[in-house]
Amino acid sequence: MESADTQARLNIAPLAANTSLRTLAYDAIKKAITEMDMYGQDNEIRLDERQLSNDLGVSRTPIREALTVLEQEGFVRSVPRRGIFVVRKSKREIIDMIIVWAALESMAARLAASRASDRDLAELRDVFHDFEDEAPGEHVNEYSDANIRFHQTIIRLGGCEMIGEMTANLFIHIRGIRAVSMRQENRSERSLQEHRGIIAALVARDADLAERLVREHTLGLAAHVEKHGRFPS
């Protein structure tokens, strides 16, 4: 019996014809996949070439070419007689990815403790400004977005281009996993407290503490997924 799947309507806009249409289609589709709630639903997520062509305002040829590249990179997969599906990782793969992310982001935090400017760290603190007087659990979607920005900012403040490149393709899945976890077991409240501890360590320029807190924070997500995660087998 074939598994149920959901045909996804991606949040994308028509393309401008000033660059390779394949490149533009690739960028638009990848961005939309990155921003979708891919782990917030049980059904497989199917993409429709015709709908993508209509939404982007181009023929189906650059769409097919873009999807071919995305398949080579592991973001989508083609199933004969069924279509193109967004790739979602298994529970074991997800946990392994989180462990890798923990190693990379914790090193970025160590570097950021000495490399980030005071202004950079003030901006990092401001990511959670809206939650100083309101519980994040009351605004889970907004807090989830702030949470993602926080972790992306730590990677950026580390100032290591290689770490940024290595986390770029992990991010498409890490983002979705973090978004789902924020809706489980009041995790947003614990997350905010841990983020404040990380910020304090960075402001104090304590590289050892910042590195440890980021690593423990992210490995906590791995433990949460191990216990509560419901992902493709």
Side-chain angles (χ1 to χ4, degrees):
M1 172 183 269
E2 291 188 352
S3 60
D5 57 69
T6 301
Q7 182 170 306
R9 178 74 179 272
L10 298 183
N11 183 23
I12 48 183
L15 301 178
N18 57 354
T19 308
S20 160
L21 289 180
R22 186 191 73 174
T23 300
L24 289 171
Y26 166 87
D27 290 342
I29 296 170
K30 183 176 179 180
K31 180 176 184 292
I33 291 173
T34 300
E35 294 175 350
M36 75 190 318
D37 188 10
M38 67 168 64
Y39 291 104
Q41 53 189 295
D42 293 331
N43 294 340
E44 292 188 284
I45 303 168
R46 183 168 62 87
L47 304 181
D48 183 82
E49 282 186 11
R50 181 176 300 173
Q51 188 64 62
L52 289 171
S53 175
N54 291 337
D55 289 343
L56 292 173
V58 297
S59 71
R60 294 173 70 172
T61 298
I63 300 298
R64 291 193 186 104
E65 292 173 346
L67 290 173
T68 296
V69 176
L70 288 166
E71 182 169 20
Q72 291 169 350
E73 295 180 344
F75 293 107
V76 302
R77 61 188 175 89
S78 176
V79 180
R81 296 182 298 279
R82 291 189 61 204
I84 303 289
F85 294 83
V86 173
V87 169
R88 296 188 296 177
K89 300 297 185 179
S90 69
K91 184 174 182 176
R92 184 68 260 163
E93 289 173 323
I94 288 168
I95 292 171
D96 287 346
M97 291 171 71
I98 296 172
I99 291 170
V100 172
W101 183 281
L104 294 171
E105 188 184 358
S106 61
M107 177 52 69
R110 166 172 282 279
L111 295 172
S114 60
R115 295 182 177 182
S117 68
D118 291 344
R119 181 176 179 178
D120 288 332
L121 297 180
E123 291 176 355
L124 183 65
R125 185 187 294 111
D126 285 345
V127 168
F128 299 112
H129 174 77
D130 292 341
F131 304 99
E132 291 180 357
D133 300 317
E134 297 187 48
E138 296 175 4
H139 306 277
V140 174
N141 291 336
E142 292 82 355
Y143 179 76
S144 179
D145 290 340
N147 175 55
I148 297 301
R149 290 198 305 277
F150 175 79
H151 290 285
Q152 286 182 303
T153 301
I154 288 179
I155 295 292
R156 178 176 58 80
L157 295 183
C160 178
E161 186 176 339
M162 184 63 72
I163 291 179
E165 292 175 356
M166 294 175 71
T167 55
N169 285 344
L170 288 175
F171 175 70
I172 189 172
H173 297 283
I174 297 296
R175 180 190 183 281
I177 296 157
R178 287 192 183 279
V180 170
S181 72
M182 285 302 152
R183 301 193 287 266
Q184 299 170 334
E185 284 204 331
N186 199 32
R187 185 170 168 78
S188 60
E189 299 286 350
R190 296 196 304 276
S191 169
L192 180 58
Q193 293 306 314
E194 291 171 3
H195 287 159
R196 287 172 172 161
I198 291 167
I199 293 169
L202 289 170
V203 169
R205 305 295 179 177
D206 189 332
D208 289 340
L209 181 59
E211 180 179 18
R212 178 172 64 81
L213 291 179
V214 168
R215 182 172 58 251
E216 291 175 352
H217 174 72
T218 304
L219 291 179
L221 175 62
H224 179 87
V225 169
E226 182 73 68
K227 183 177 180 180
H228 300 286
R230 294 178 57 225
F231 301 102
S233 58

